[in-house]
Amino acid sequence: MERSDTPLLDELEKGQWPSFVKDMKEAARKNPMAKDLLKQLELSYKDKIGHWKHGGIVGVKGYGSGVIGRYSDRPDLFPHVQAFHTMRVNHPSGWFYKTETLRKLCDIWDKHGSGLTNMHGSTGDAILLGTTTEHLQPCFNDLSDAGFDLGGSGSALRTPSACVGPARCEWACVDSLDLCYHLTMAYQDQMHRPMFPYKFKIKISACANDCVAAIARSDLSIIGTWKDAIRINADEVRAYAENINIQKEVCDLCPTRCMEWDGNKLKIYDEDCTRCMHCINVMPKALRPGKETGASILVGGKAPIVKGALLSWVVVPFMKLEPPYDELKDLIERIQDWWDEFGKSRERLGELIQRLGMRVFLKAVGLPAVPQMVKAPRTNPYVFFWPEDLKKEEK
């Protein structure tokens, strides 16, 4: 039996789940970059350290982002990954591709890079993994000719992303696809020319199920919701009662206990409802979102990088969203201007709000405090007394 060059990686091919190692080995059969990448990764597993070094800025003409420079610290052993740069390609809203478009993208990458892709990165872009400095500009030229653009990277606006929304989901309360397209086209300069203290992510979920995890992963989260009452089909509620325990599986699990079930009729106190959609998910034939739809705007979510993870705060409980989305764009720009002025290097929006306080943020961007900001009653009620307001009352 022939001895494997990657015994540690071979272990990852075992088991019931698909393995990235298998895909890398297939690419390595025809591409020397993928072959050297496998060997370097094997060495990283053996040495228990990564073998990518820091330093080096690369890009394409006119763009300050979209390309992530990467270099091996062992070019003597793995010359084909001495430079192994990543390109982020701006994805279509909702990640809808034609087969012809995907083939075109893959042909370009086979021509210029390792052939390895990540569909998709956590930001949303199509990730092209591994090319040389000499190929960056020609690859970008081919991508541009084929109708593609680069996404955001570095201290820039990252490529906005959205769920499939009204294209495939009956719960969509906003047109996430149209909104994502509008924001992407409006903020090209912020995406391609880094100008912020750190990254800024916008993610759009068309309902509270939040299929793109916007609340946990984005500096500005747009979550579809409704303002009026949940629509109830009483006959379907009774039909569900034959198969599930509505009191136990719906009412008792409602976070605000805004529902009552008497064995025959479901009563919802909509003034106490937080629009979490649990009841709708359990009984989709019986309950539907209201008809007066829009979105909640939240800020400050992030993963644990410089500091710990943060979930987003609600700052606008309900905003009507219709093209050209001027009210939303105006809010985004006020938020970014404040963060850009006061944020430290590598400080995300949520971290700045934590440092200076929610009251400072709200005053700076011209938003009122709302009950949805209260985490625990009587501990942080966001009742603010500004000195200038007190002076006015004295007069």
Side-chain angles (χ1 to χ4, degrees):
M1 182 181 294
E2 187 176 338
R3 184 172 173 272
S4 171
D5 292 331
T6 57
L8 296 176
L9 290 181
D10 293 348
E11 292 297 314
L12 297 180
E13 291 186 274
K14 300 176 181 178
Q16 59 181 320
W17 307 112
S19 170
F20 72 94
V21 175
K22 180 180 178 181
D23 291 336
M24 288 174 65
K25 285 182 177 180
E26 288 184 9
R29 293 191 183 100
K30 61 178 182 179
N31 191 298
M33 293 185 79
K35 188 172 184 179
D36 269 9
L37 179 66
L38 268 174
K39 294 178 180 178
Q40 178 169 303
L41 185 58
E42 177 73 16
L43 183 63
S44 293
Y45 274 60
K46 180 181 178 183
D47 295 344
K48 296 184 173 61
I49 60 169
H51 281 287
W52 299 110
K53 65 181 181 181
H54 297 286
I57 297 175
V58 290
V60 298
K61 292 179 182 178
Y63 283 48
S65 66
V67 178
I68 303 165
R70 187 168 286 123
Y71 301 87
S72 171
D73 70 358
R74 293 305 307 267
D76 54 321
L77 295 178
F78 315 113
H80 294 292
V81 292
Q82 181 272 328
F84 196 78
H85 308 312
T86 289
M87 302 187 79
R88 284 181 171 161
V89 179
N90 196 330
H91 58 282
S93 291
W95 300 284
F96 285 100
Y97 294 91
K98 292 181 179 179
T99 306
E100 175 189 358
T101 304
L102 283 174
R103 291 186 183 279
K104 196 178 297 183
L105 181 65
C106 292
D107 288 343
I108 292 170
W109 194 231
D110 280 338
K111 176 182 175 183
H112 293 288
S114 69
L116 295 169
T117 64
N118 178 0
M119 304 290 280
H120 291 79
S122 60
T123 295
D125 296 309
I127 309 297
L128 307 183
L129 296 160
T131 189
T132 61
T133 304
E134 297 76 23
H135 273 276
L136 286 174
Q137 190 66 46
C139 183
F140 171 74
N141 293 342
D142 285 350
L143 287 170
S144 185
D145 291 342
F148 294 101
D149 195 5
L150 297 188
S153 68
S155 296
L157 174 69
R158 298 302 177 83
T159 316
S161 63
C163 68
V164 297
R168 291 186 63 88
C169 180
E170 61 184 312
W171 306 133
C173 296
V174 293
D175 191 339
S176 53
L177 305 176
D178 184 67
L179 177 57
C180 184
Y181 176 78
H182 268 80
L183 295 180
T184 302
M185 298 304 291
Y187 296 124
Q188 290 292 298
D189 200 45
Q190 289 90 326
M191 283 174 55
H192 292 144
R193 294 160 189 89
M195 60 183 73
F196 293 142
Y198 201 18
K199 66 183 79 170
F200 192 96
K201 295 183 177 181
I202 298 175
K203 296 186 184 296
I204 307 158
S205 287
C207 79
N209 284 320
D210 194 8
C211 290
V212 294
I215 293 172
R217 302 190 302 147
S218 63
D219 301 271
L220 188 121
S221 315
I222 302 167
I223 308 296
T225 189
W226 63 95
K227 200 173 184 179
D228 52 343
I230 294 175
R231 289 175 281 170
I232 304 175
N233 184 320
D235 292 336
E236 289 291 351
V237 172
R238 287 188 285 271
Y240 274 107
E242 296 176 6
N243 299 299
I244 66 172
N245 185 329
I246 291 179
Q247 182 62 47
K248 181 179 179 181
E249 297 182 38
V250 180
C251 298
D252 291 349
L253 295 178
C254 173
T256 59
R257 300 293 194 271
C258 73
M259 313 181 81
E260 288 182 356
W261 169 247
D262 64 6
N264 182 60
K265 184 179 180 181
L266 183 69
K267 169 66 176 174
I268 301 178
Y269 297 92
D270 289 277
E271 63 272 20
D272 294 326
C273 175
T274 59
R275 279 69 172 166
C276 75
M277 290 188 62
H278 168 71
C279 59
I280 296 174
N281 292 330
V282 176
M283 302 191 296
K285 293 181 180 180
L287 304 175
R288 300 191 71 81
K291 293 183 178 181
E292 190 178 353
T293 57
S296 295
I297 312 300
L298 303 88
V299 299
K302 60 176 284 292
I305 302 178
V306 177
K307 292 186 179 179
L310 294 173
L311 293 179
S312 301
W313 288 277
V314 174
V315 292
V316 180
F318 186 85
M319 180 183 288
K320 194 73 177 175
L321 290 180
E322 295 175 345
Y325 310 107
D326 288 335
E327 183 182 3
L328 175 63
K329 291 175 184 175
D330 181 60
L331 175 61
I332 290 172
E333 287 157 24
R334 295 202 308 271
I335 291 171
Q336 290 179 342
D337 286 346
W338 177 76
W339 171 59
D340 194 25
E341 182 174 356
F342 294 101
K344 297 178 181 179
S345 177
R346 290 177 62 81
E347 184 174 49
R348 296 285 286 275
L349 174 63
E351 293 165 341
L352 175 61
I353 294 173
Q354 273 195 325
R355 179 165 62 86
L356 297 185
M358 178 61 81
R359 67 161 62 193
V360 175
F361 166 77
L362 293 175
K363 187 176 183 183
V365 300
L367 289 173
V370 294
Q372 285 83 351
M373 296 174 184
V374 178
K375 181 178 181 182
R378 301 185 185 278
T379 62
N380 54 351
Y382 294 106
V383 176
F384 304 145
F385 297 94
W386 302 105
E388 55 266 34
D389 294 335
L390 293 175
K391 287 178 182 178
K392 290 177 184 177
E393 289 182 11
E394 289 172 1
K395 291 179 181 180

